[in-house]
Amino acid sequence: MDVAAADKLTSEAAAVLFYDRLFDIAPQMRAMFPDDMIEQRRKLMAMLAGVVKGLGNLEQVLPAAGALAKRHVSYGAKAEHYPVVGAALLWTLEKGLADGWTPEVADAWGTAYGTLSGYMISEAYGRSQAGE
């Protein structure tokens, strides 16, 4: 198997893990997603890749994150969903990285998600909810 295929398989597996975990801990969120999750999983992984690449330049990432947050409102997303999504994401990363999931990596990912989700909440719902 070539590297690109291995990366794709890993990416798909991570997306499946993420959504399985999300729907396990927040089954009420399942109704917000399509029955066929193939495209949704692809979008998730593409978005995560873009965020990771842009972490060194948040000014590049934030406009797209704000637009995404506003679109999520129309899908029924609420500010209180962001911590649940974060928990599912961090759990997925922990499982996927295994021994590579060190306290430092966990802290870095937690900080990055907290910063990004806080910004997205403030863009979608106003600054008052971002601090809650």
Side-chain angles (χ1 to χ4, degrees):
M1 180 183 298
D2 67 344
V3 174
D7 286 346
K8 182 178 178 190
L9 179 63
T10 302
S11 176
E12 289 174 6
V16 168
L17 269 178
F18 168 78
Y19 283 112
D20 284 353
R21 179 66 175 174
L22 179 63
F23 301 149
D24 185 46
I25 62 177
Q28 71 279 9
M29 292 180 72
R30 180 62 182 98
M32 295 168 53
F33 294 89
D35 290 336
D36 184 349
M37 292 292 291
I38 293 170
E39 182 65 15
Q40 182 66 35
R41 290 189 296 259
R42 186 199 62 74
K43 287 178 181 178
L44 169 71
M45 298 315 291
M47 185 270 309
L48 284 175
V51 167
V52 168
K53 288 178 186 172
L55 281 178
N57 184 6
L58 278 181
E59 295 77 29
Q60 179 182 347
V61 173
L62 293 179
L68 179 64
K70 291 171 186 170
R71 281 195 311 274
H72 280 160
V73 172
S74 69
Y75 306 144
K78 299 185 179 342
E80 60 265 21
H81 293 144
Y82 282 81
V84 178
V85 169
L89 176 63
L90 296 177
W91 179 90
T92 301
L93 290 168
E94 180 180 5
K95 297 301 175 202
L97 293 174
D99 292 341
W101 186 254
T102 65
E104 295 80 16
V105 170
D107 185 54
W109 271 102
T111 298
Y113 183 79
T115 299
L116 190 59
S117 65
Y119 177 80
M120 291 175 73
I121 291 167
S122 71
E123 287 295 296
Y125 310 102
R127 302 221 181 269
S128 65
Q129 291 192 31
E132 294 177 3

